[in-house]
Amino acid sequence: MKQGKTNAMRLLDKEKIEYEMLTYTADDGKIDGVSVAQKIGREKGIVYKTLISQGASKAYYVFVIPVEDELDLKKAAKAVGEKKIEMIPVKDITAVSGYIRGGCSPVGMKKAYPTVIDESAQALEVIIVSGGKIGVQIELTVADLARATKASFAGVAIS
């Protein structure tokens, strides 16, 4: 099945960043990160999910954390210099990011939001994140993901 390029891939191509596209079927409705890791045959420890939050200042922030973890809102707020942050409602994901729930890539959102990758990724060589639509993941080096998203690293996930 031929997949077209997503915004995330076009942006990576433009930046001359190498990545591998991994595809899976979502016919069974299982699009959570752990299921996706199994479907693409990769270790779940290198598969990360993209979460969008909003701070007390009304600014949006993107967090990239391991699929099995939860976002620690207090640590996340501290990492971006906010008093507090909360997750945006699912219904707002497309309006804010340009992507749909389950296909939200940290690369190529509508706007370049401040992005924080959980510090656990610094121990990895490669990381897998959504490619920008359900059924598509992209694998690239952690350094390249950080460069493409202008991300910082902080301990923001709770296992």
Side-chain angles (χ1 to χ4, degrees):
M1 133 177 124
K2 177 96 176 81
Q3 289 283 353
K5 296 255 178 183
T6 63
N7 279 351
M9 292 175 205
R10 284 190 280 276
L11 192 123
L12 292 172
D13 289 345
K14 195 174 129 224
E15 297 288 325
K16 297 189 177 13
I17 292 175
E18 284 186 34
Y19 61 91
E20 182 183 351
M21 178 172 69
L22 307 163
T23 59
Y24 63 94
T25 59
D27 309 349
D28 58 5
K30 292 183 179 174
I31 58 169
D32 63 280
V34 176
S35 297
V36 169
Q38 290 169 337
K39 290 179 182 188
I40 60 174
R42 294 296 207 280
E43 188 59 47
K44 62 184 175 227
I46 64 170
V47 181
Y48 279 56
K49 60 187 171 186
T50 305
L51 303 172
I52 306 169
S53 66
Q54 190 172 31
S57 68
K58 297 294 180 225
Y60 292 106
Y61 301 96
V62 177
F63 294 93
V64 182
I65 67 170
V67 292
E68 288 192 299
D69 292 355
E70 295 295 319
L71 184 64
D72 182 320
L73 295 173
K74 281 191 169 68
K75 288 180 181 172
K78 189 174 178 212
V80 295
E82 286 276 0
K83 281 187 179 28
K84 71 178 233 194
I85 61 165
E86 46 193 48
M87 300 304 298
I88 65 168
V90 171
K91 67 176 178 50
D92 296 346
I93 291 173
T94 305
V96 172
S97 71
Y99 292 123
I100 60 167
R101 179 183 173 270
C104 191
S105 178
V107 180
M109 287 193 183
K110 276 184 172 178
K111 292 187 178 140
Y113 300 114
T115 301
V116 177
I117 301 170
D118 186 66
E119 65 188 6
S120 61
Q122 291 177 297
L124 305 174
E125 199 160 303
V126 295
I127 188 169
I128 297 172
V129 295
S130 172
K133 67 181 180 190
I134 293 173
V136 179
Q137 296 287 105
I138 47 178
E139 181 175 338
L140 67 168
T141 68
V142 174
D144 282 343
L145 178 64
R147 185 164 59 102
T149 58
K150 297 179 178 42
S152 58
F153 291 90
V156 293
I158 348 171
S159 307

